[in-house]
Amino acid sequence: MAAPRRLLARWRLAAAVAVTCAALAACTGEQFQKGYILPPGALEQIPIGASQDQVLIVMGTPSTVATLDGEVFYYISQRAERPIAFMNQKITDQRVIAVYFDKNRQVRRLANYGLKDGKIFDFISRTTATSGQELSYLQPLFKLLSFN
């Protein structure tokens, strides 16, 4: 009789370990990607002077389009994470990739906007956006992205 009791105790212990592991796995962190996912090397495939069609082939359909001294394609994305499954998400990165076109629908400039020290920053030219029509369009985009 002692052997079946020991076997039953081992099964109970194994079941308890399995339940504990499953409960702990549910508490692990998660990462979220919202919006546009930039393909690796995509920006390098778009030289200045490239056509609008080439941009659409490489980057796909933009999140939104604007007209600022020519057309501008905006690709908007946000990354967030939460360390434990039941906690709120924390935004880790927000990006707006802008492709500026001239009147001939050729790439005039590329920008990769994000937030740095709470200000809108272009990670390509390494400059902070200044006041003007462009900044007035970007600020609401980043405010919109800030809400979960």
Side-chain angles (χ1 to χ4, degrees):
M1 275 297 197
R5 285 185 185 172
R6 273 191 249 150
L7 185 59
L8 184 60
R10 286 184 185 166
W11 278 104
R12 285 182 181 163
L13 179 62
V17 168
V19 168
T20 302
C21 288
L24 289 176
C27 292
T28 60
E30 298 174 279
Q31 292 186 348
F32 303 93
Q33 174 75 40
K34 299 174 185 174
Y36 182 76
I37 298 174
L38 180 67
L43 292 178
E44 291 79 20
Q45 295 179 37
I46 303 172
I48 302 301
S51 70
Q52 201 172 62
D53 290 337
Q54 184 178 352
V55 172
L56 288 170
I57 289 169
V58 173
M59 302 280 287
T61 304
S63 304
T64 188
V65 177
T67 305
L68 303 169
D69 262 353
E71 205 167 23
V72 184
F73 286 179
Y74 291 104
Y75 297 87
I76 304 167
S77 69
Q78 180 185 76
R79 275 188 294 209
E81 63 183 27
R82 65 176 161 206
I84 300 174
F86 57 84
M87 293 182 75
N88 290 333
Q89 294 179 21
K90 179 185 174 198
I91 297 170
T92 57
D93 189 33
Q94 299 180 104
R95 294 296 169 123
V96 176
I97 297 168
V99 183
Y100 299 88
F101 297 97
D102 60 18
K103 300 291 182 191
N104 297 323
R105 298 173 58 147
Q106 294 184 327
V107 174
R108 175 172 46 100
R109 182 169 76 96
L110 293 170
N112 185 352
Y113 295 110
L115 291 178
K116 183 176 181 183
D117 299 327
K119 296 186 180 193
I120 297 174
F121 184 79
D122 180 4
F123 287 90
I124 292 177
S125 68
R126 301 258 183 238
T127 58
T128 302
T130 58
S131 63
Q133 193 175 13
E134 177 67 11
L135 188 61
S136 67
Y137 191 78
L138 288 171
Q139 283 177 327
L141 287 177
F142 278 98
K143 286 182 182 177
L144 180 68
L145 288 174
S146 296
F147 297 106
N148 288 332

